[in-house]
Amino acid sequence: MPNTTDTSGAPDSARPTAVVGAGHWTLDPAASAVRFRSKTFWGLATVSGVFTGISGAGEVLPDGAGRGTLTIEAATLDTKNAKRDTHLRSADFFAADAHPSFAFTATSVTPGEGDAVTVTGELTVREKTLALAFPARVLSAAADAVTLEAEVSVDRAEFGMTWNQLGMLRGPATINVTARFTRDAA
């Protein structure tokens, strides 16, 4: 795989995305992760966890831009605390029984300088859809696989998750995504 850490000032052919050709791509869930962290106990503690059920697909267009979807199964969240996980799956938060999954649809993934890409799309959680745009970076790129990484802050209240007993929850949740896509066979 090419070095993706220092491509500043390099010609377009040296950008990591230059080796990723047009075509259809599928998320490799074993090499991908969706993690989250959120402040609680009035900002004194951080709860972190991972969603173990993820899937997705994408398309790279002939001009190098892309689009795709990442779907997360709400009931697969794991914070290493069964009681907390049950509460997070309840109607106070993800309402996993009524809304078993949520999704980010990338309407545009545009290569930038070096290993940078700009992602624009919509996040749908609990039937509420909001526009999101954020930077991401290419961790590795080859003709048959590409790995992207991004960090996004999300305000739970915008998705109807307003439970906050005694004001314990502070600030937005931070979502870290590592998404490895492999080229579909022709």
Side-chain angles (χ1 to χ4, degrees):
M1 285 188 221
N3 177 356
T4 62
T5 58
D6 185 14
T7 56
S8 57
D12 282 351
S13 62
R15 288 189 338 208
T17 54
V19 298
V20 178
H24 294 277
W25 299 74
T26 300
L27 184 80
D28 177 357
S32 301
V34 175
R35 294 181 168 81
F36 68 91
R37 65 184 186 278
S38 182
K39 292 288 188 182
T40 188
F41 292 108
W42 304 279
L44 299 174
T46 300
V47 171
S48 59
V50 64
F51 290 94
T52 59
I54 57 175
S55 61
E59 179 182 13
V60 175
L61 305 172
D63 67 358
R67 59 183 171 219
T69 303
L70 178 64
T71 302
I72 298 104
E73 301 303 319
T76 68
L77 70 90
D78 182 9
T79 66
K80 306 295 184 206
N81 180 308
K83 185 176 178 180
R84 178 175 46 225
D85 292 349
T86 298
H87 186 214
L88 290 172
R89 291 179 187 119
S90 78
D92 287 341
F93 290 95
F94 288 103
D97 287 342
H99 309 286
S101 65
F102 55 98
F104 177 73
T105 301
T107 54
S108 173
V109 179
T110 307
E113 300 264 338
D115 62 359
V117 294
T118 300
V119 180
T120 304
E122 296 179 331
L123 178 62
T124 302
V125 179
R126 293 173 45 140
E127 296 184 16
K128 295 184 189 310
T129 300
L130 294 173
L132 279 180
F134 52 90
R137 69 184 198 108
V138 179
L139 293 180
S140 64
D144 62 347
V146 61
T147 304
L148 302 171
E149 178 182 68
E151 182 174 286
V152 182
S153 291
V154 178
D155 182 351
R156 294 173 295 277
E158 291 182 319
F159 296 98
M161 294 183 225
T162 57
W163 183 92
N164 192 3
Q165 187 176 36
L166 302 173
M168 289 176 50
L169 299 177
R170 299 288 175 155
T174 302
I175 311 298
N176 292 94
V177 177
T178 301
R180 180 170 178 81
F181 291 90
T182 57
R183 181 184 294 281
D184 292 348

